[in-house]
Amino acid sequence: QVQLVESGGGLVQPGGSLRLSCAASGFTFAYYAIAWFRQAPGKEREGVACFSAGDGRIYYGDSVKGRFAISRDNIKNTAYLQMNSLKPEDTGLYYCAVNTGLLGGNCRDKEDYGMRSWGRGTLVTVSS
């Protein structure tokens, strides 16, 4: 089955950096787009970034453009989210996600990028 395991979260001061990892298994990672989302308590899920497989396009949520960078290593079956210049409002549970269906190769023009399978998340807390 599809498995996505996030790691790398923790407590960081405003202005600091973290690098999250998403280890994928149970599917051919290189064929599918991979996306990152986050959710803070009491708030709706927010799309952070998405990296298409078929066309190589990368998308970022407006709130993280210029600060975050998504990447992927198809040999290691791992996606990453480099987070710089972190702000308290970046605090939340960060998830990676895929859609291993026929339309899952590229990020879709949707709030959820067309993702269907989700990891359990890693907690990021930005606080002084």
Side-chain angles (χ1 to χ4, degrees):
Q1 75 279 20
V2 172
Q3 187 173 40
L4 301 169
V5 181
E6 302 90 343
S7 62
L11 176 64
V12 63
Q13 293 184 333
S17 298
L18 283 175
R19 186 175 179 86
L20 307 183
S21 297
C22 170
S25 61
F27 65 101
T28 304
F29 179 75
Y31 291 175
Y32 299 100
I34 186 75
W36 286 96
F37 298 83
R38 67 187 182 187
Q39 188 168 21
K43 299 183 66 177
E44 294 185 352
R45 184 184 63 209
E46 178 184 13
V48 174
C50 191
F51 196 144
S52 291
D55 60 23
R57 292 178 178 175
I58 296 175
Y59 303 85
Y60 293 102
D62 289 341
S63 64
V64 307
K65 288 179 180 176
R67 299 188 298 120
F68 291 12
I70 188 172
S71 61
R72 63 189 298 162
D73 186 330
N74 290 338
I75 302 301
K76 296 181 179 179
N77 291 340
T78 301
Y80 304 95
L81 184 69
Q82 178 66 46
M83 305 185 295
N84 300 320
S85 301
L86 284 162
K87 306 173 181 179
E89 51 263 46
D90 294 318
T91 294
L93 189 65
Y94 283 70
Y95 304 84
C96 57
V98 300
N99 177 1
T100 58
L102 292 177
L103 299 179
N106 294 319
C107 306
R108 305 288 298 281
D109 185 18
K110 300 175 179 290
E111 289 294 321
D112 64 3
Y113 303 120
M115 301 296 108
R116 298 295 180 89
S117 300
W118 309 81
R120 289 181 169 84
T122 185
L123 183 64
V124 173
T125 302
V126 185
S127 176
S128 59

